[in-house]
């Protein structure tokens, strides 16, 4: 699991303190000071954990949490709340927060809660990762045999199509931009046209999504691509 932590907190003093303490503990930390920027960052790349304040400008923390969970049900999220805000705590947990902590708090307590949340996520992911089976909806990829099956039917992919599908599945429910896809699938030294990503996404869609009611490969305008079940 990545050690990258996103802090979404509009109080500069608290955000700065958290950034310093977590960096000291070995985490790579990014900070957003409003809900809109926090949501954009949360969906732009994989995170090991997100620390999310409830009271935020532009977009409140509960709405940020709700929108994250629509596309990413797995990343551990700890919400920060003021004292005596039980409704906020209940709402946060109902929307998919892994834990909460009330202000003011001791950094040692937050670190402990972070470790628990990340450990729980690792345990949840372990069985499928160990089996080498990646799955979303009725699509599965066996990393050992390189067998791709959707709806009970085998799908044949070229090596590069397979690498692209594998990368999307390994980051299931997360939005990957073109640069991330190029770096991981084609390599950092790739000098070709970035449109190659769009071309190969089209190839994949014809083989993965064609003739299926549920679309799995999604375009996020202005950002990139992700693989997830279609929202109902």
């Amino acid at each position: 699991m990545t050690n990258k932590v996103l802090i979404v907190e509009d109080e500069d003093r608290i955000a700065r303190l958290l950034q310093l303490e977590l960096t000291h503990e070995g985490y790579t930390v990014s900070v957003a000071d409003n809900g809109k920027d926090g949501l954009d960052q949360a969906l732009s790349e994989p995170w090991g954990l997100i620390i999310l304040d409830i009271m935020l400008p532009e977009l409140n923390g509960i709405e940020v949490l709700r929108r994250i969970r629509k596309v990413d049900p797995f990343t551990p999220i700890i919400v920060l709340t003021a004292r005596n805000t039980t409704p906020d705590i209940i709402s946060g947990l109902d929307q998919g927060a892994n834990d909460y902590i009330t202000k003011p708090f001791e950094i040692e307590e937050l670190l402990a809660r972070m470790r628990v949340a990340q450990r729980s996520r690792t345990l949840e992911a372990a069985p499928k990762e160990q089996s080498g089976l990646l799955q979303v909806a009725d699509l599965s990829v066996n990393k050992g045999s390189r067998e791709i099956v959707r709806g009970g039917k085998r799908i044949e992919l070229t090596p590069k199509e397979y690498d692209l599908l594998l990368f999307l599945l390994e980051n299931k429910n997360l939005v990957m931009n073109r640069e991330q896809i190029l770096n991981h699938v084609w390599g950092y030294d790739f000098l070709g046209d970035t449109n190659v990503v769009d071309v190969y996404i089209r190839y994949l869609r014809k083989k993965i999504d064609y003739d299926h009611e549920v679309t799995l490969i999604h375009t996020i305008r202005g950002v990139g691509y992700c693989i997830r079940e279609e929202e109902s």
Side-chain angles (χ1 to χ4, degrees):
M1 175 178 288
T2 176
N3 71 336
K4 294 177 61 177
V5 174
L6 174 62
I7 299 170
V8 189
E9 169 61 70
D10 65 318
E11 293 187 49
D12 185 65
R13 181 183 62 81
I14 294 177
R16 183 59 179 161
L17 173 65
L18 288 174
Q19 186 175 29
L20 289 172
E21 293 286 352
L22 296 185
T23 300
H24 178 72
E25 292 293 325
Y27 293 98
T28 300
V29 181
S30 294
V31 177
D33 62 4
N34 65 73
K36 184 178 181 301
D37 289 345
L39 178 62
D40 290 343
Q41 288 195 50
L43 298 181
S44 68
E45 58 184 295
W47 298 95
L49 185 134
I50 298 172
I51 299 173
L52 176 65
D53 189 24
I54 293 295
M55 301 299 293
L56 292 168
E58 298 194 31
L59 200 63
N60 70 66
I62 296 298
E63 181 61 17
V64 173
L65 176 60
R66 186 186 72 80
R67 295 189 191 186
I68 292 173
R69 285 300 186 231
K70 285 180 69 176
V71 298
D72 175 10
F74 302 114
T75 298
I77 299 176
I78 297 176
V79 295
L80 304 180
T81 72
R83 288 198 180 278
N84 301 318
T85 54
T86 302
D88 285 343
I89 294 171
I90 294 172
S91 183
L93 294 174
D94 284 345
Q95 291 295 335
N98 297 79
D99 204 349
Y100 70 92
I101 191 165
T102 56
K103 301 176 184 178
F105 53 84
E106 296 293 332
I107 191 65
E108 290 78 10
E109 180 184 1
L110 175 61
L111 290 169
R113 290 176 182 269
M114 289 172 60
R115 288 192 292 269
V116 170
Q118 290 181 301
R119 186 160 57 244
S120 297
R121 170 68 188 102
T122 300
L123 290 174
E124 289 174 3
K128 286 187 178 180
E129 291 174 356
Q130 291 174 359
S131 70
L133 184 68
L134 298 173
Q135 187 167 1
V136 59
D138 59 346
L139 171 69
S140 64
V141 173
N142 187 311
K143 294 171 67 176
S145 64
R146 297 174 69 93
E147 182 180 47
I148 304 105
V149 176
R150 180 159 193 200
K153 296 181 179 179
R154 292 188 60 176
I155 298 171
E156 298 296 330
L157 299 180
T158 67
K160 196 58 68 178
E161 289 169 351
Y162 174 85
D163 291 343
L164 175 57
L165 177 62
L166 190 64
F167 178 65
L168 292 175
L169 277 171
E170 287 175 338
N171 294 279
K172 181 175 64 175
N173 299 308
L174 299 177
V175 181
M176 298 289 108
N177 62 41
R178 287 174 179 80
E179 183 178 357
Q180 290 172 312
I181 294 172
L182 277 175
N183 288 342
H184 284 82
V185 178
W186 277 268
Y188 287 94
D189 56 350
F190 178 74
L191 299 177
D193 193 333
T194 59
N195 286 337
V196 69
V197 174
D198 306 310
V199 172
Y200 271 80
I201 287 290
R202 288 199 297 271
Y203 292 162
L204 265 189
R205 281 186 167 134
K206 288 181 180 179
K207 296 182 178 182
I208 299 298
D209 284 336
Y210 181 74
D211 206 27
H212 288 273
E213 291 185 7
V214 177
T215 299
L216 300 179
I217 300 172
H218 299 266
T219 301
I220 311 303
R221 290 191 179 277
V223 183
Y225 300 100
C226 73
I227 191 164
R228 66 170 185 258
E229 292 189 55
E230 188 177 48
E231 297 172 9
S232 58

